[in-house]
Amino acid sequence: MSIDQIRQAILEGASGEEIAAIPLPEAYKAAVVRKEEVGIFEGLAHQDKDPRKSVHIDEVPLPELGPDEAYVAIMASAINYNTVWTSIFEPIPTFTFLERYGKLSESTKKHDQPYHVMGSDAAGVVLRVGEAVRRWKPGDRVTVHCNVVDLQDPEGHEDSMLDPQQRIWGFETNFGGLAEIALVKANALMPKPRHLTWEEAASCGLVNSTTYRMLVGENAARMRQGQVVLIWGAAGGLGGFACQYVLNGGGFPVAVVSSKEKAEILRSMGVEWIIDRKAEGFKFWDDAGEPNLSEFRRFGKTIRSMTGGVDPDIVFEHTGRDTFAASVFLAKRGGIVVTCASTSGYMHIYDNRYLWMNLKRIIGSHFANYNEAWEANRLVSLGKIHPILSKTYTLEETGQAAYEVHHNLHVGKIGILCLAPTEGLGIDDPALREKIGEENLTRFKGR
Ligand code: NAP
């Protein structure tokens, strides 16, 4: 009952005081995996582990609110690849993270549950804040930076991503965004971009911030004007933002995709140099499982034919084992391979001679600190970086949405409607939206 009241109040534009007066429900609906089911995919190949079997929509009790936390009514969320990892229990079941986190302090015990409410992206409205929260109040329209830090260790105070207790919300903690209500640290809230719908706003978060750190911020590749950036998975979650940052920053993206349709979307964004890896049939590994140098050279030649003979200053890596040896080979002398993931496998093999003899660097990057995420969100709010949302499902369809990401059947991002009854709601600044242009905001839609 009070969930419907909350939804209705938000849809009717209720004030913060009115929202704060609505009683909170004792339980809420959430997309979860269950601890008792972590063994259901044992013996199956990676591709055969099906999120539609492991993701359930359960009623879970509302957790206690900590002094530095907020309850957020979630209007929309989105699927991240970490939702896929959670739902197929790879590389390890996320219950391991919850158990570890539960042991950290009295206040984190609540995270260790036999269910895991997953989800690392969200847009919604603050319902209540804990007594130590000073920057946010009920009624604030927010997105979530999915980082959890308490900064009690000295190491995190220059860059919170170096905090030894840093965790990803909704992946390494419980009570995430694929739900009607979420529990969020107040130092992870950010203002919702006013010109976006709930689902567009929710879909930017994690991948936008990660890409910002990898390419723009002080902590990773620090791209400069004129640089050539090779972007794997350029029409995927990270890649769709990477193309925008490179274009905005005066760089030249070389975008790798696996279909004509994806190439066409990127072309409409202004990306000129695109390689369709499937159409060109690149085979980076020979039948004996060794790196195939002649194919690396063919790929490099294709890049040079586009760039006028210039090799990539930066390679934007997240695809992992299948591409990493090629990435190291393809980066220019003195260039950078910046990596944040290993979708195709995390045990990489590459020929180290190409690295050291050519003075190349590999930079590991992980998510983003609050400041980087805030900047990335500010660029979205200013209409300089746009969402790449292609499709939206309901909360009940979370398993199907995760299945599509797992099987690379999607383009850009997939959104999830939580309390929002339909797509298209939540726009607070239609004039800015009109100025930015609907075509820029919905380029990926329906793909
Ligand atoms: P995504 O939306 O699935 O996009 C990944 C893209 O990679 C796909 O669109 C696909 O593009 C390409 N790809 C997949 N397998 C490939 C292969 N074997 N060879 C070449 N290209 C391949 O996923 P995402 O949201 O961008 O996330 C990508 C990875 O980064 C995931 O592993 C995720 O867990 C990780 N990640 C890490 C962080 C972090 O903070 N460390 C943050 C975000 C994401 P084409 O088929 O069109 O080539």
Side-chain angles (χ1 to χ4, degrees), residues 81 85 206 210 233 237-238 257-258 262 277 319 322 340-341 343 366-367 408 410:
Y81 217 93
W85 299 124
L206 185 151
T210 305
L238 293 168
V257 293
S258 63
K262 290 181 181 179
R277 65 182 173 101
T319 34
D322 285 355
C340 75
T343 309
H366 183 41
F367 194 37
N408 197 14
H410 68 302

mmCIF file with all atom_site columns, all heavy atoms in Angstrom, residues 81 85 206 210 233 237-238 257-258 262 277 319 322 340-341 343 366-367 408 410, ligand 1:
data_model
loop_
_atom_site.group_PDB
_atom_site.id
_atom_site.type_symbol
_atom_site.label_atom_id
_atom_site.label_alt_id
_atom_site.label_comp_id
_atom_site.label_asym_id
_atom_site.label_entity_id
_atom_site.label_seq_id
_atom_site.pdbx_PDB_ins_code
_atom_site.Cartn_x
_atom_site.Cartn_y
_atom_site.Cartn_z
_atom_site.occupancy
_atom_site.B_iso_or_equiv
_atom_site.pdbx_formal_charge
_atom_site.auth_seq_id
_atom_site.auth_comp_id
_atom_site.auth_asym_id
_atom_site.auth_atom_id
_atom_site.pdbx_PDB_model_num
ATOM   1   N N   . TYR A 1 81  ? 27.022 -5.163  -16.554 1.00 0.00 ? 81  TYR A N   1
ATOM   2   C CA  . TYR A 1 81  ? 27.602 -6.493  -16.702 1.00 0.00 ? 81  TYR A CA  1
ATOM   3   C C   . TYR A 1 81  ? 27.770 -7.151  -15.337 1.00 0.00 ? 81  TYR A C   1
ATOM   4   O O   . TYR A 1 81  ? 27.697 -8.371  -15.205 1.00 0.00 ? 81  TYR A O   1
ATOM   5   C CB  . TYR A 1 81  ? 28.917 -6.446  -17.487 1.00 0.00 ? 81  TYR A CB  1
ATOM   6   C CG  . TYR A 1 81  ? 29.049 -7.639  -18.380 1.00 0.00 ? 81  TYR A CG  1
ATOM   7   C CD1 . TYR A 1 81  ? 28.639 -7.606  -19.705 1.00 0.00 ? 81  TYR A CD1 1
ATOM   8   C CD2 . TYR A 1 81  ? 29.532 -8.846  -17.860 1.00 0.00 ? 81  TYR A CD2 1
ATOM   9   C CE1 . TYR A 1 81  ? 28.717 -8.736  -20.497 1.00 0.00 ? 81  TYR A CE1 1
ATOM   10  C CE2 . TYR A 1 81  ? 29.615 -9.973  -18.659 1.00 0.00 ? 81  TYR A CE2 1
ATOM   11  C CZ  . TYR A 1 81  ? 29.208 -9.908  -19.970 1.00 0.00 ? 81  TYR A CZ  1
ATOM   12  O OH  . TYR A 1 81  ? 29.272 -11.027 -20.752 1.00 0.00 ? 81  TYR A OH  1
ATOM   13  N N   . TRP A 1 85  ? 27.323 -11.038 -13.965 1.00 0.00 ? 85  TRP A N   1
ATOM   14  C CA  . TRP A 1 85  ? 28.209 -11.841 -13.114 1.00 0.00 ? 85  TRP A CA  1
ATOM   15  C C   . TRP A 1 85  ? 27.449 -12.329 -11.878 1.00 0.00 ? 85  TRP A C   1
ATOM   16  O O   . TRP A 1 85  ? 27.559 -13.503 -11.494 1.00 0.00 ? 85  TRP A O   1
ATOM   17  C CB  . TRP A 1 85  ? 29.435 -11.039 -12.663 1.00 0.00 ? 85  TRP A CB  1
ATOM   18  C CG  . TRP A 1 85  ? 30.333 -10.528 -13.775 1.00 0.00 ? 85  TRP A CG  1
ATOM   19  C CD1 . TRP A 1 85  ? 30.693 -9.226  -13.988 1.00 0.00 ? 85  TRP A CD1 1
ATOM   20  C CD2 . TRP A 1 85  ? 30.984 -11.280 -14.811 1.00 0.00 ? 85  TRP A CD2 1
ATOM   21  N NE1 . TRP A 1 85  ? 31.522 -9.132  -15.085 1.00 0.00 ? 85  TRP A NE1 1
ATOM   22  C CE2 . TRP A 1 85  ? 31.723 -10.365 -15.609 1.00 0.00 ? 85  TRP A CE2 1
ATOM   23  C CE3 . TRP A 1 85  ? 31.016 -12.636 -15.151 1.00 0.00 ? 85  TRP A CE3 1
ATOM   24  C CZ2 . TRP A 1 85  ? 32.481 -10.756 -16.711 1.00 0.00 ? 85  TRP A CZ2 1
ATOM   25  C CZ3 . TRP A 1 85  ? 31.775 -13.028 -16.250 1.00 0.00 ? 85  TRP A CZ3 1
ATOM   26  C CH2 . TRP A 1 85  ? 32.483 -12.105 -17.008 1.00 0.00 ? 85  TRP A CH2 1
ATOM   27  N N   . LEU A 1 206 ? 27.056 3.870   -13.791 1.00 0.00 ? 206 LEU A N   1
ATOM   28  C CA  . LEU A 1 206 ? 28.291 3.098   -13.622 1.00 0.00 ? 206 LEU A CA  1
ATOM   29  C C   . LEU A 1 206 ? 29.220 3.184   -14.836 1.00 0.00 ? 206 LEU A C   1
ATOM   30  O O   . LEU A 1 206 ? 30.401 3.472   -14.702 1.00 0.00 ? 206 LEU A O   1
ATOM   31  C CB  . LEU A 1 206 ? 27.936 1.642   -13.315 1.00 0.00 ? 206 LEU A CB  1
ATOM   32  C CG  . LEU A 1 206 ? 29.084 0.700   -12.999 1.00 0.00 ? 206 LEU A CG  1
ATOM   33  C CD1 . LEU A 1 206 ? 28.625 -0.414  -12.070 1.00 0.00 ? 206 LEU A CD1 1
ATOM   34  C CD2 . LEU A 1 206 ? 29.681 0.073   -14.230 1.00 0.00 ? 206 LEU A CD2 1
ATOM   35  N N   . THR A 1 210 ? 32.895 5.139   -15.037 1.00 0.00 ? 210 THR A N   1
ATOM   36  C CA  . THR A 1 210 ? 34.073 4.291   -15.287 1.00 0.00 ? 210 THR A CA  1
ATOM   37  C C   . THR A 1 210 ? 34.842 4.800   -16.498 1.00 0.00 ? 210 THR A C   1
ATOM   38  O O   . THR A 1 210 ? 36.073 4.893   -16.495 1.00 0.00 ? 210 THR A O   1
ATOM   39  C CB  . THR A 1 210 ? 33.626 2.831   -15.540 1.00 0.00 ? 210 THR A CB  1
ATOM   40  O OG1 . THR A 1 210 ? 32.850 2.397   -14.446 1.00 0.00 ? 210 THR A OG1 1
ATOM   41  C CG2 . THR A 1 210 ? 34.810 1.910   -15.729 1.00 0.00 ? 210 THR A CG2 1
ATOM   42  N N   . GLY A 1 233 ? 34.328 -2.894  -28.253 1.00 0.00 ? 233 GLY A N   1
ATOM   43  C CA  . GLY A 1 233 ? 32.918 -2.883  -27.815 1.00 0.00 ? 233 GLY A CA  1
ATOM   44  C C   . GLY A 1 233 ? 32.340 -1.486  -27.845 1.00 0.00 ? 233 GLY A C   1
ATOM   45  O O   . GLY A 1 233 ? 31.671 -1.054  -26.912 1.00 0.00 ? 233 GLY A O   1
ATOM   46  N N   . GLY A 1 237 ? 28.032 -0.742  -23.347 1.00 0.00 ? 237 GLY A N   1
ATOM   47  C CA  . GLY A 1 237 ? 27.854 0.196   -22.237 1.00 0.00 ? 237 GLY A CA  1
ATOM   48  C C   . GLY A 1 237 ? 29.037 1.149   -22.087 1.00 0.00 ? 237 GLY A C   1
ATOM   49  O O   . GLY A 1 237 ? 28.892 2.373   -22.206 1.00 0.00 ? 237 GLY A O   1
ATOM   50  N N   . LEU A 1 238 ? 30.220 0.609   -21.834 1.00 0.00 ? 238 LEU A N   1
ATOM   51  C CA  . LEU A 1 238 ? 31.401 1.465   -21.685 1.00 0.00 ? 238 LEU A CA  1
ATOM   52  C C   . LEU A 1 238 ? 31.750 2.154   -22.998 1.00 0.00 ? 238 LEU A C   1
ATOM   53  O O   . LEU A 1 238 ? 32.015 3.362   -23.034 1.00 0.00 ? 238 LEU A O   1
ATOM   54  C CB  . LEU A 1 238 ? 32.609 0.624   -21.244 1.00 0.00 ? 238 LEU A CB  1
ATOM   55  C CG  . LEU A 1 238 ? 32.571 0.005   -19.846 1.00 0.00 ? 238 LEU A CG  1
ATOM   56  C CD1 . LEU A 1 238 ? 33.690 -1.016  -19.698 1.00 0.00 ? 238 LEU A CD1 1
ATOM   57  C CD2 . LEU A 1 238 ? 32.700 1.073   -18.774 1.00 0.00 ? 238 LEU A CD2 1
ATOM   58  N N   . VAL A 1 257 ? 33.220 -2.838  -33.516 1.00 0.00 ? 257 VAL A N   1
ATOM   59  C CA  . VAL A 1 257 ? 31.872 -3.370  -33.248 1.00 0.00 ? 257 VAL A CA  1
ATOM   60  C C   . VAL A 1 257 ? 31.731 -4.719  -33.957 1.00 0.00 ? 257 VAL A C   1
ATOM   61  O O   . VAL A 1 257 ? 32.650 -5.166  -34.647 1.00 0.00 ? 257 VAL A O   1
ATOM   62  C CB  . VAL A 1 257 ? 30.772 -2.400  -33.754 1.00 0.00 ? 257 VAL A CB  1
ATOM   63  C CG1 . VAL A 1 257 ? 30.747 -1.110  -32.951 1.00 0.00 ? 257 VAL A CG1 1
ATOM   64  C CG2 . VAL A 1 257 ? 30.945 -2.095  -35.241 1.00 0.00 ? 257 VAL A CG2 1
ATOM   65  N N   . SER A 1 258 ? 30.545 -5.335  -33.791 1.00 0.00 ? 258 SER A N   1
ATOM   66  C CA  . SER A 1 258 ? 30.357 -6.630  -34.448 1.00 0.00 ? 258 SER A CA  1
ATOM   67  C C   . SER A 1 258 ? 29.108 -6.674  -35.324 1.00 0.00 ? 258 SER A C   1
ATOM   68  O O   . SER A 1 258 ? 28.610 -7.747  -35.640 1.00 0.00 ? 258 SER A O   1
ATOM   69  C CB  . SER A 1 258 ? 30.290 -7.739  -33.395 1.00 0.00 ? 258 SER A CB  1
ATOM   70  O OG  . SER A 1 258 ? 29.171 -7.540  -32.562 1.00 0.00 ? 258 SER A OG  1
ATOM   71  N N   . LYS A 1 262 ? 25.294 -1.586  -35.364 1.00 0.00 ? 262 LYS A N   1
ATOM   72  C CA  . LYS A 1 262 ? 26.061 -0.843  -34.357 1.00 0.00 ? 262 LYS A CA  1
ATOM   73  C C   . LYS A 1 262 ? 26.928 0.209   -35.041 1.00 0.00 ? 262 LYS A C   1
ATOM   74  O O   . LYS A 1 262 ? 27.055 1.346   -34.561 1.00 0.00 ? 262 LYS A O   1
ATOM   75  C CB  . LYS A 1 262 ? 26.926 -1.808  -33.537 1.00 0.00 ? 262 LYS A CB  1
ATOM   76  C CG  . LYS A 1 262 ? 26.136 -2.710  -32.602 1.00 0.00 ? 262 LYS A CG  1
ATOM   77  C CD  . LYS A 1 262 ? 27.085 -3.624  -31.820 1.00 0.00 ? 262 LYS A CD  1
ATOM   78  C CE  . LYS A 1 262 ? 26.343 -4.560  -30.891 1.00 0.00 ? 262 LYS A CE  1
ATOM   79  N NZ  . LYS A 1 262 ? 27.253 -5.456  -30.150 1.00 0.00 ? 262 LYS A NZ  1
ATOM   80  N N   . ARG A 1 277 ? 34.423 -6.146  -36.549 1.00 0.00 ? 277 ARG A N   1
ATOM   81  C CA  . ARG A 1 277 ? 35.358 -7.269  -36.320 1.00 0.00 ? 277 ARG A CA  1
ATOM   82  C C   . ARG A 1 277 ? 34.791 -8.578  -36.869 1.00 0.00 ? 277 ARG A C   1
ATOM   83  O O   . ARG A 1 277 ? 35.543 -9.463  -37.279 1.00 0.00 ? 277 ARG A O   1
ATOM   84  C CB  . ARG A 1 277 ? 35.697 -7.395  -34.829 1.00 0.00 ? 277 ARG A CB  1
ATOM   85  C CG  . ARG A 1 277 ? 34.537 -7.768  -33.919 1.00 0.00 ? 277 ARG A CG  1
ATOM   86  C CD  . ARG A 1 277 ? 34.925 -7.829  -32.456 1.00 0.00 ? 277 ARG A CD  1
ATOM   87  N NE  . ARG A 1 277 ? 33.768 -8.015  -31.602 1.00 0.00 ? 277 ARG A NE  1
ATOM   88  C CZ  . ARG A 1 277 ? 33.416 -9.176  -31.062 1.00 0.00 ? 277 ARG A CZ  1
ATOM   89  N NH1 . ARG A 1 277 ? 34.118 -10.255 -31.301 1.00 0.00 ? 277 ARG A NH1 1
ATOM   90  N NH2 . ARG A 1 277 ? 32.344 -9.255  -30.290 1.00 0.00 ? 277 ARG A NH2 1
ATOM   91  N N   . THR A 1 319 ? 37.545 -5.997  -22.835 1.00 0.00 ? 319 THR A N   1
ATOM   92  C CA  . THR A 1 319 ? 37.109 -7.256  -23.440 1.00 0.00 ? 319 THR A CA  1
ATOM   93  C C   . THR A 1 319 ? 37.970 -8.432  -22.979 1.00 0.00 ? 319 THR A C   1
ATOM   94  O O   . THR A 1 319 ? 37.519 -9.565  -22.992 1.00 0.00 ? 319 THR A O   1
ATOM   95  C CB  . THR A 1 319 ? 37.124 -7.099  -24.972 1.00 0.00 ? 319 THR A CB  1
ATOM   96  O OG1 . THR A 1 319 ? 38.209 -6.233  -25.343 1.00 0.00 ? 319 THR A OG1 1
ATOM   97  C CG2 . THR A 1 319 ? 35.849 -6.463  -25.453 1.00 0.00 ? 319 THR A CG2 1
ATOM   98  N N   . ASP A 1 322 ? 40.400 -12.408 -25.091 1.00 0.00 ? 322 ASP A N   1
ATOM   99  C CA  . ASP A 1 322 ? 40.340 -12.521 -26.551 1.00 0.00 ? 322 ASP A CA  1
ATOM   100 C C   . ASP A 1 322 ? 41.091 -11.397 -27.262 1.00 0.00 ? 322 ASP A C   1
ATOM   101 O O   . ASP A 1 322 ? 41.579 -11.581 -28.375 1.00 0.00 ? 322 ASP A O   1
ATOM   102 C CB  . ASP A 1 322 ? 38.879 -12.480 -27.029 1.00 0.00 ? 322 ASP A CB  1
ATOM   103 C CG  . ASP A 1 322 ? 38.151 -13.784 -26.748 1.00 0.00 ? 322 ASP A CG  1
ATOM   104 O OD1 . ASP A 1 322 ? 38.806 -14.735 -26.268 1.00 0.00 ? 322 ASP A OD1 1
ATOM   105 O OD2 . ASP A 1 322 ? 36.926 -13.847 -27.001 1.00 0.00 ? 322 ASP A OD2 1
ATOM   106 N N   . CYS A 1 340 ? 39.783 -2.091  -17.628 1.00 0.00 ? 340 CYS A N   1
ATOM   107 C CA  . CYS A 1 340 ? 38.952 -2.122  -16.412 1.00 0.00 ? 340 CYS A CA  1
ATOM   108 C C   . CYS A 1 340 ? 38.213 -3.443  -16.290 1.00 0.00 ? 340 CYS A C   1
ATOM   109 O O   . CYS A 1 340 ? 37.361 -3.581  -15.420 1.00 0.00 ? 340 CYS A O   1
ATOM   110 C CB  . CYS A 1 340 ? 37.947 -0.982  -16.428 1.00 0.00 ? 340 CYS A CB  1
ATOM   111 S SG  . CYS A 1 340 ? 36.579 -1.278  -17.551 1.00 0.00 ? 340 CYS A SG  1
ATOM   112 N N   . ALA A 1 341 ? 38.500 -4.403  -17.168 1.00 0.00 ? 341 ALA A N   1
ATOM   113 C CA  . ALA A 1 341 ? 37.714 -5.645  -17.107 1.00 0.00 ? 341 ALA A CA  1
ATOM   114 C C   . ALA A 1 341 ? 38.285 -6.702  -18.032 1.00 0.00 ? 341 ALA A C   1
ATOM   115 O O   . ALA A 1 341 ? 39.238 -6.448  -18.786 1.00 0.00 ? 341 ALA A O   1
ATOM   116 C CB  . ALA A 1 341 ? 36.265 -5.357  -17.510 1.00 0.00 ? 341 ALA A CB  1
ATOM   117 N N   . THR A 1 343 ? 35.981 -9.289  -19.925 1.00 0.00 ? 343 THR A N   1
ATOM   118 C CA  . THR A 1 343 ? 34.726 -10.000 -20.231 1.00 0.00 ? 343 THR A CA  1
ATOM   119 C C   . THR A 1 343 ? 34.969 -11.401 -20.783 1.00 0.00 ? 343 THR A C   1
ATOM   120 O O   . THR A 1 343 ? 34.283 -12.346 -20.412 1.00 0.00 ? 343 THR A O   1
ATOM   121 C CB  . THR A 1 343 ? 33.897 -9.182  -21.245 1.00 0.00 ? 343 THR A CB  1
ATOM   122 O OG1 . THR A 1 343 ? 33.777 -7.853  -20.762 1.00 0.00 ? 343 THR A OG1 1
ATOM   123 C CG2 . THR A 1 343 ? 32.514 -9.787  -21.465 1.00 0.00 ? 343 THR A CG2 1
ATOM   124 N N   . HIS A 1 366 ? 39.589 1.144   -12.206 1.00 0.00 ? 366 HIS A N   1
ATOM   125 C CA  . HIS A 1 366 ? 38.379 0.520   -11.681 1.00 0.00 ? 366 HIS A CA  1
ATOM   126 C C   . HIS A 1 366 ? 37.406 1.623   -11.302 1.00 0.00 ? 366 HIS A C   1
ATOM   127 O O   . HIS A 1 366 ? 37.786 2.587   -10.620 1.00 0.00 ? 366 HIS A O   1
ATOM   128 C CB  . HIS A 1 366 ? 38.756 -0.342  -10.463 1.00 0.00 ? 366 HIS A CB  1
ATOM   129 C CG  . HIS A 1 366 ? 37.612 -1.095  -9.859  1.00 0.00 ? 366 HIS A CG  1
ATOM   130 N ND1 . HIS A 1 366 ? 36.651 -1.728  -10.610 1.00 0.00 ? 366 HIS A ND1 1
ATOM   131 C CD2 . HIS A 1 366 ? 37.276 -1.320  -8.558  1.00 0.00 ? 366 HIS A CD2 1
ATOM   132 C CE1 . HIS A 1 366 ? 35.790 -2.312  -9.801  1.00 0.00 ? 366 HIS A CE1 1
ATOM   133 N NE2 . HIS A 1 366 ? 36.136 -2.069  -8.554  1.00 0.00 ? 366 HIS A NE2 1
ATOM   134 N N   . PHE A 1 367 ? 36.208 1.519   -11.775 1.00 0.00 ? 367 PHE A N   1
ATOM   135 C CA  . PHE A 1 367 ? 35.112 2.444   -11.503 1.00 0.00 ? 367 PHE A CA  1
ATOM   136 C C   . PHE A 1 367 ? 35.586 3.889   -11.414 1.00 0.00 ? 367 PHE A C   1
ATOM   137 O O   . PHE A 1 367 ? 36.354 4.343   -12.267 1.00 0.00 ? 367 PHE A O   1
ATOM   138 C CB  . PHE A 1 367 ? 34.353 1.982   -10.249 1.00 0.00 ? 367 PHE A CB  1
ATOM   139 C CG  . PHE A 1 367 ? 33.018 2.677   -10.101 1.00 0.00 ? 367 PHE A CG  1
ATOM   140 C CD1 . PHE A 1 367 ? 32.251 2.963   -11.230 1.00 0.00 ? 367 PHE A CD1 1
ATOM   141 C CD2 . PHE A 1 367 ? 32.538 3.053   -8.857  1.00 0.00 ? 367 PHE A CD2 1
ATOM   142 C CE1 . PHE A 1 367 ? 31.038 3.622   -11.111 1.00 0.00 ? 367 PHE A CE1 1
ATOM   143 C CE2 . PHE A 1 367 ? 31.319 3.711   -8.732  1.00 0.00 ? 367 PHE A CE2 1
ATOM   144 C CZ  . PHE A 1 367 ? 30.585 3.991   -9.844  1.00 0.00 ? 367 PHE A CZ  1
ATOM   145 N N   . ASN A 1 408 ? 25.321 -10.774 -25.367 1.00 0.00 ? 408 ASN A N   1
ATOM   146 C CA  . ASN A 1 408 ? 25.699 -9.690  -26.285 1.00 0.00 ? 408 ASN A CA  1
ATOM   147 C C   . ASN A 1 408 ? 24.616 -9.459  -27.352 1.00 0.00 ? 408 ASN A C   1
ATOM   148 O O   . ASN A 1 408 ? 24.906 -9.228  -28.520 1.00 0.00 ? 408 ASN A O   1
ATOM   149 C CB  . ASN A 1 408 ? 27.054 -10.033 -26.949 1.00 0.00 ? 408 ASN A CB  1
ATOM   150 C CG  . ASN A 1 408 ? 27.722 -8.817  -27.577 1.00 0.00 ? 408 ASN A CG  1
ATOM   151 O OD1 . ASN A 1 408 ? 27.336 -7.670  -27.318 1.00 0.00 ? 408 ASN A OD1 1
ATOM   152 N ND2 . ASN A 1 408 ? 28.703 -9.061  -28.427 1.00 0.00 ? 408 ASN A ND2 1
ATOM   153 N N   . HIS A 1 410 ? 22.367 -7.091  -26.958 1.00 0.00 ? 410 HIS A N   1
ATOM   154 C CA  . HIS A 1 410 ? 21.893 -5.721  -26.746 1.00 0.00 ? 410 HIS A CA  1
ATOM   155 C C   . HIS A 1 410 ? 22.817 -4.716  -27.447 1.00 0.00 ? 410 HIS A C   1
ATOM   156 O O   . HIS A 1 410 ? 23.900 -5.057  -27.910 1.00 0.00 ? 410 HIS A O   1
ATOM   157 C CB  . HIS A 1 410 ? 21.900 -5.416  -25.248 1.00 0.00 ? 410 HIS A CB  1
ATOM   158 C CG  . HIS A 1 410 ? 23.293 -5.349  -24.686 1.00 0.00 ? 410 HIS A CG  1
ATOM   159 N ND1 . HIS A 1 410 ? 24.181 -6.407  -24.781 1.00 0.00 ? 410 HIS A ND1 1
ATOM   160 C CD2 . HIS A 1 410 ? 23.984 -4.345  -24.085 1.00 0.00 ? 410 HIS A CD2 1
ATOM   161 C CE1 . HIS A 1 410 ? 25.339 -6.055  -24.242 1.00 0.00 ? 410 HIS A CE1 1
ATOM   162 N NE2 . HIS A 1 410 ? 25.245 -4.804  -23.810 1.00 0.00 ? 410 HIS A NE2 1
HETATM 163 P P1  . NAP B 2 .   ? 28.571 -4.549  -22.740 1.00 0.00 ? 1   NAP B P1  1
HETATM 164 O O1  . NAP B 2 .   ? 27.481 -3.517  -22.815 1.00 0.00 ? 1   NAP B O1  1
HETATM 165 O O2  . NAP B 2 .   ? 28.221 -5.978  -22.848 1.00 0.00 ? 1   NAP B O2  1
HETATM 166 O O3  . NAP B 2 .   ? 29.615 -4.155  -23.896 1.00 0.00 ? 1   NAP B O3  1
HETATM 167 C C1  . NAP B 2 .   ? 30.751 -4.924  -24.110 1.00 0.00 ? 1   NAP B C1  1
HETATM 168 C C2  . NAP B 2 .   ? 31.071 -4.967  -25.607 1.00 0.00 ? 1   NAP B C2  1
HETATM 169 O O4  . NAP B 2 .   ? 32.270 -5.695  -25.753 1.00 0.00 ? 1   NAP B O4  1
HETATM 170 C C3  . NAP B 2 .   ? 30.037 -5.682  -26.420 1.00 0.00 ? 1   NAP B C3  1
HETATM 171 O O5  . NAP B 2 .   ? 29.103 -4.734  -26.931 1.00 0.00 ? 1   NAP B O5  1
HETATM 172 C C4  . NAP B 2 .   ? 30.850 -6.337  -27.542 1.00 0.00 ? 1   NAP B C4  1
HETATM 173 O O6  . NAP B 2 .   ? 30.835 -5.484  -28.682 1.00 0.00 ? 1   NAP B O6  1
HETATM 174 C C5  . NAP B 2 .   ? 32.272 -6.337  -27.019 1.00 0.00 ? 1   NAP B C5  1
HETATM 175 N N1  . NAP B 2 .   ? 32.772 -7.707  -26.826 1.00 0.00 ? 1   NAP B N1  1
HETATM 176 C C6  . NAP B 2 .   ? 32.250 -8.665  -26.025 1.00 0.00 ? 1   NAP B C6  1
HETATM 177 N N2  . NAP B 2 .   ? 32.994 -9.784  -26.102 1.00 0.00 ? 1   NAP B N2  1
HETATM 178 C C7  . NAP B 2 .   ? 34.011 -9.506  -26.982 1.00 0.00 ? 1   NAP B C7  1
HETATM 179 C C8  . NAP B 2 .   ? 35.100 -10.247 -27.492 1.00 0.00 ? 1   NAP B C8  1
HETATM 180 N N3  . NAP B 2 .   ? 35.301 -11.504 -27.105 1.00 0.00 ? 1   NAP B N3  1
HETATM 181 N N4  . NAP B 2 .   ? 35.930 -9.644  -28.377 1.00 0.00 ? 1   NAP B N4  1
HETATM 182 C C9  . NAP B 2 .   ? 35.733 -8.378  -28.783 1.00 0.00 ? 1   NAP B C9  1
HETATM 183 N N5  . NAP B 2 .   ? 34.703 -7.625  -28.332 1.00 0.00 ? 1   NAP B N5  1
HETATM 184 C C10 . NAP B 2 .   ? 33.854 -8.196  -27.454 1.00 0.00 ? 1   NAP B C10 1
HETATM 185 O O7  . NAP B 2 .   ? 29.373 -4.418  -21.387 1.00 0.00 ? 1   NAP B O7  1
HETATM 186 P P2  . NAP B 2 .   ? 29.900 -3.114  -20.636 1.00 0.00 ? 1   NAP B P2  1
HETATM 187 O O8  . NAP B 2 .   ? 28.848 -2.594  -19.742 1.00 0.00 ? 1   NAP B O8  1
HETATM 188 O O9  . NAP B 2 .   ? 30.529 -2.196  -21.620 1.00 0.00 ? 1   NAP B O9  1
HETATM 189 O O10 . NAP B 2 .   ? 31.011 -3.781  -19.732 1.00 0.00 ? 1   NAP B O10 1
HETATM 190 C C11 . NAP B 2 .   ? 32.123 -4.425  -20.340 1.00 0.00 ? 1   NAP B C11 1
HETATM 191 C C12 . NAP B 2 .   ? 32.981 -5.091  -19.283 1.00 0.00 ? 1   NAP B C12 1
HETATM 192 O O11 . NAP B 2 .   ? 33.493 -4.111  -18.397 1.00 0.00 ? 1   NAP B O11 1
HETATM 193 C C13 . NAP B 2 .   ? 32.260 -6.108  -18.397 1.00 0.00 ? 1   NAP B C13 1
HETATM 194 O O12 . NAP B 2 .   ? 33.113 -7.207  -18.150 1.00 0.00 ? 1   NAP B O12 1
HETATM 195 C C14 . NAP B 2 .   ? 31.996 -5.350  -17.098 1.00 0.00 ? 1   NAP B C14 1
HETATM 196 O O13 . NAP B 2 .   ? 31.884 -6.202  -15.975 1.00 0.00 ? 1   NAP B O13 1
HETATM 197 C C15 . NAP B 2 .   ? 33.226 -4.467  -17.042 1.00 0.00 ? 1   NAP B C15 1
HETATM 198 N N6  . NAP B 2 .   ? 33.080 -3.226  -16.317 1.00 0.00 ? 1   NAP B N6  1
HETATM 199 C C16 . NAP B 2 .   ? 34.016 -2.930  -15.355 1.00 0.00 ? 1   NAP B C16 1
HETATM 200 C C17 . NAP B 2 .   ? 33.921 -1.752  -14.648 1.00 0.00 ? 1   NAP B C17 1
HETATM 201 C C18 . NAP B 2 .   ? 34.913 -1.421  -13.598 1.00 0.00 ? 1   NAP B C18 1
HETATM 202 O O14 . NAP B 2 .   ? 34.713 -0.461  -12.873 1.00 0.00 ? 1   NAP B O14 1
HETATM 203 N N7  . NAP B 2 .   ? 35.996 -2.151  -13.413 1.00 0.00 ? 1   NAP B N7  1
HETATM 204 C C19 . NAP B 2 .   ? 32.872 -0.860  -14.916 1.00 0.00 ? 1   NAP B C19 1
HETATM 205 C C20 . NAP B 2 .   ? 31.971 -1.166  -15.941 1.00 0.00 ? 1   NAP B C20 1
HETATM 206 C C21 . NAP B 2 .   ? 32.089 -2.357  -16.623 1.00 0.00 ? 1   NAP B C21 1
HETATM 207 P P3  . NAP B 2 .   ? 30.827 -6.018  -30.202 1.00 0.00 ? 1   NAP B P3  1
HETATM 208 O O15 . NAP B 2 .   ? 30.251 -7.402  -30.168 1.00 0.00 ? 1   NAP B O15 1
HETATM 209 O O16 . NAP B 2 .   ? 29.964 -5.025  -30.913 1.00 0.00 ? 1   NAP B O16 1
HETATM 210 O O17 . NAP B 2 .   ? 32.252 -5.979  -30.659 1.00 0.00 ? 1   NAP B O17 1
#
